[in-house]
Amino acid sequence: MMSNHLYDGLMNAVQLDRLFAEIPSKNRPPTRYYTYGHVEEVSGRLANLLVHWGVEVGERVAVQVPKSIEAIMLYLACVRMGAIFLPLNTAYTPNEVDYFLSDSEVKIFICAPNDQDKLTGVAVKNSTRLETLGVYSNPDDFAGSVLAQADSQPTKFNNVTRNATDLAAILYTSGTTGRSKGAMLTHENLLSNSITLAKIWRFTKDDVLLHALPIYHTHGLFVAINVTLLSGASMIFLSEFNTDLLIKNLPRSSAMMGVPTFYTRLLDDQRFNADLVSKMRLFISGSAPLLAETHVQFEQRTGHRVLERYGMTETNMNTSNPYDGERRAGTVGQPLPDVELRICDPETGHKVVAGEIGVLEIKGPN
């Protein structure tokens, strides 16, 4: 039977009455809670709204908004109705956004309500519809046009059939060899990697992930969110990295994914100790190299060895240190079970001997 490949795969094991995310904040009391039932309903409303606006299967929906649970619902809505989700770094300037909208031929561009004025001209220039996405129940802002109009849409949505090779998302690279390039990610690229990571990192419905990463990047979105959904786990969803909120919520969490600076900043705080993380089972680091010194200091302070892994915008994750066994400081582990990897001479294309530097070549369903 045909299905919506990525969405059905991610949501296959969830119980709709279970907690999906808790959103604590110093600035927006009280804490908000979302079940998996809310995920299904809100993403259904948003999918219906996108169809109502004339978005067709395969068209691009670009999003540049602050981190929020509503943005996650919008990502899932795009997957459900067959659009291609295109998250943009919130630090991009209007000139940079102009390039992305033009290069990817975006149908609808969604920005933060406060940014509408400065981005209207960019949208008009690219003949792109501009809408705004805020946050439900935020006293310092308003919901924006997306949520305001989604409330009148039905919660039920018949997911559009998608195949493994259909595009699900485009993420722009950092552009180290020129202008940023759009990496095209299929349903199978994302789902296969999520299945592998959930298995090797042993995520289950009993896990609580402490999420402090941005969600315009593959780490915070396609690794952290997709693994959580696939496992039917829960999240404590922070709007940004905040040392006080992390320390407050670590005792209630079982796993955390972070970048190296997360761990150095925690080590700089004397409240961060072994007792605080006694219920944690896993700390994961990526997106930049974790210094061997940080790895050693972290173990000395907490008794935990950080699990480092390696991925790219174009592929998601490719290697990982083991869950069981040695997590070697200064390395990113071995290839994932379904990934082939070799290091080759850039001139000849032949594999180099162990210990030599070369070009990394990767193959796999991701």
Side-chain angles (χ1 to χ4, degrees), residues 335-357:
L336 298 179
D338 52 0
V339 171
E340 297 176 49
L341 183 151
R342 63 190 181 194
I343 301 173
C344 298
D345 183 290
E347 299 298 328
T348 67
H350 297 150
K351 289 179 66 175
V352 300
V353 298
E356 292 294 319
I357 293 172

Side-chain angles (χ1 to χ4, degrees), residues 92 96 99-100 103 172-183:
Y92 284 145
E96 290 171 311
Y99 165 70
F100 298 125
D103 186 63
Y172 275 83
T173 66
S174 54
T176 53
T177 58
R179 300 207 76 166
S180 297
K181 300 170 183 66

Side-chain angles (χ1 to χ4, degrees), residues 187-264:
H187 284 246
E188 181 65 12
N189 292 154
L190 299 178
L191 182 58
S192 66
N193 207 231
S194 302
I195 291 170
T196 297
L197 297 177
K199 182 176 181 180
I200 68 167
W201 293 340
R202 311 231 180 131
F203 273 81
T204 73
K205 62 181 177 61
D206 297 321
D207 273 303
V208 178
L209 177 70
L210 186 52
H211 193 304
L213 292 160
I215 57 171
Y216 52 75
H217 187 274
T218 190
H219 191 176
L221 183 61
F222 296 142
V223 180
I225 299 297
N226 283 358
V227 167
T228 298
L229 290 165
L230 183 79
S231 310
S234 301
M235 294 188 298
I236 298 174
F237 193 76
L238 307 182
S239 60
E240 60 186 359
F241 181 92
N242 178 286
T243 304
D244 291 337
L245 282 177
L246 249 67
I247 287 174
K248 179 180 178 180
N249 288 287
L250 275 166
R252 304 170 51 234
S253 307
S254 65
M256 185 178 114
M257 299 182 191
V259 296
T261 53
F262 283 15
Y263 297 113
T264 56

